[in-house]
Structures are given as structure tokens and as C-alpha cells.
């Protein structure tokens, strides 16, 4: 995408894949404490938001710090996350961190949430952009991510009244040769 598309938008980024394409984001949400520590003093990120538990696992908590905001959540159920697991307090945590980012955007008052680059599939036998540290995923992960993204999107529409769309970098439904 042309970075100018994002120039006048509030940007809630997930983990660090945004760093390959965008010069700066307003918020960066992560469940990975090492990402929080890497980006918390960067002029490329407005506010770093990190889950209490590393990977959403409450048995591995992060220390509070003035350098980042810690969000509370239920213990991560990974593949087993369902609509019944949507929290009544804190932010949602599921298999993919993008659901926490979506929830934060809705909580911040977003009327329209546009997901760009959600990890729900493979393109040219790759699951991520070149140089992304998590470029190798299990082959079954996208189906879990897609299902849980849909569950969270549905809950956010119901609870917050926002619209949620996904944007692909292709002009035609044929996906320009893919």
C-alpha cells in the first residue's frame, strides 16, 4: 500500500509487521513482551500496549512500566477461543494478536475499523512479508485466525456498533496473478 493512504488515519498496529511499511503508528498492540520492550521508546510508536500475560498467558506476566500500557485480559485459550470467551472487562486475547488490536480500536471509539494485512492465509507460499520475524507459521493457523477474527468482529459490531472491513492489496478479485 501507498503509505499516504494511512496519513490521516488513527493507526492501531499489531506486533511489528507494520514497521516494514509505515514510518509511524499511533498505537502498537502486542502480546509479546519483547516487542513491547523493543518499541516502547521509539519515536515511530505513539503508545505501546502490551498484554498482562506474555502470549496472553497469565502465568507469564509483564511488569508494569511507565514506558508502556499493560492491558488486562482473560487467559489465552488459543485455538479453543469462542464467542463465549469474549471478555466483559479488559481486552480480548485470542490466538492472533489482531483481535486485541481490533478491540482496542473499538474501545477507542473507532466507527470504522479497516484491517490491513490480517494473517489469515498464505500468498506465494509465504505467511508474512520478507524480513518479518514470525514468517513461519503452522499451516493450520490461518483457519483459527480467520474464525476468531470473525468472532471478534461480530462481537465488536454488536457491542460497539462499529463496522469492520478487511482491505486486500489487489485491484481485482483474481488477485492480480495470485
Amino acid at each position: 500500500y501507498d503509505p499516504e493512504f494511512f496519513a490521516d488515519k488513527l493507526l492501531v498496529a499489531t506486533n511489528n509487521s507494520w514497521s516494514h511499511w509505515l514510518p509511524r503508528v499511533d498505537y502498537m498492540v502486542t502480546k509479546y513482551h519483547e516487542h513491547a520492550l523493543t518499541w516502547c521508546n521509539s519515536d515511530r510508536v505513539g503508545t505501546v500496549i502490551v498484554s498482562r500475560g506474555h502470549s496472553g498467558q497469565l502465568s507469564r506476566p509483564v511488569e508494569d512500566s511507565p514506558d508502556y500500557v499493560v492491558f488486562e485480559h482473560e487467559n489465552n485459550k488459543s485455538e479453543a477461543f469462542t464467542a463465549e470467551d469474549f471478555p466483559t472487562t479488559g481486552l480480548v486475547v485470542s490466538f492472533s494478536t489482531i483481535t486485541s488490536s481490533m478491540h482496542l480500536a473499538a474501545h477507542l471509539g473507532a466507527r470504522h475499523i479497516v484491517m490491513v494485512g490480517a494473517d489469515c492465509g498464505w500468498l506465494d507460499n509465504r505467511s508474512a512479508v520478507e524480513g518479518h520475524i514470525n514468517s513461519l507459521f503452522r499451516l493450520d493457523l490461518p483457519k483459527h485466525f480467520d474464525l476468531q477474527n470473525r468472532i471478534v468482529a461480530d462481537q465488536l459490531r454488536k457491542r460497539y456498533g462499529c463496522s469492520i472491513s478487511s482491505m486486500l492489496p489487489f485491484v481485482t478479485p483474481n488477485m492480480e496473478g495470485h
Side-chain angles (χ1 to χ4, degrees):
Y1 298 105
D2 181 348
E4 283 301 309
F5 172 81
F6 303 98
D8 62 345
K9 301 183 179 53
L10 179 72
L11 301 178
V12 176
T14 305
N15 298 325
N16 66 1
S17 60
W18 63 271
S19 66
H20 298 284
W21 306 105
L22 298 173
R24 188 174 193 291
V25 295
D26 300 293
Y27 298 91
M28 188 195 81
V29 178
T30 186
K31 296 182 303 192
Y32 306 105
H33 298 161
E34 64 274 13
H35 290 339
L37 296 174
T38 298
W39 290 103
C40 66
N41 293 313
S42 171
D43 59 358
R44 294 184 64 195
V45 178
T47 302
V48 173
I49 314 253
V50 63
S51 61
R52 172 66 65 195
H54 182 75
S55 300
Q57 303 299 322
L58 292 173
S59 61
R60 299 170 59 194
V62 68
E63 297 291 326
D64 288 330
S65 170
D67 295 329
Y68 48 79
V69 174
V70 177
F71 72 87
E72 303 301 333
H73 56 85
E74 300 294 323
N75 199 49
N76 191 355
K77 293 189 173 183
S78 298
E79 288 113 307
F81 177 87
T82 67
E84 289 75 37
D85 297 310
F86 197 91
T88 56
T89 61
L91 293 180
V92 68
V93 169
S94 71
F95 218 177
S96 176
T97 311
I98 200 165
T99 57
S100 302
S101 295
M102 292 163 56
H103 194 181
L104 176 66
H107 182 73
L108 290 171
R111 186 118 165 79
H112 305 285
I113 298 171
V114 179
M115 297 194 316
V116 179
D119 46 5
C120 288
W122 297 79
L123 187 60
D124 293 337
N125 293 318
R126 295 176 47 162
S127 63
V129 298
E130 188 172 334
H132 185 55
I133 60 169
N134 293 325
S135 61
L136 296 176
F137 287 107
R138 291 181 2 215
L139 289 175
D140 67 332
L141 289 185
K143 71 179 180 183
H144 296 294
F145 294 162
D146 182 54
L147 174 64
Q148 293 173 359
N149 289 354
R150 291 173 190 268
I151 289 169
V152 171
D154 185 52
Q155 291 296 312
L156 295 176
R157 285 183 193 102
K158 289 177 185 175
R159 295 168 187 246
Y160 292 86
C162 56
S163 70
I164 301 172
S165 303
S166 183
M167 191 167 91
L168 298 174
F170 308 105
V171 177
T172 70
N174 293 330
M175 296 177 31
E176 297 178 7
H178 294 281

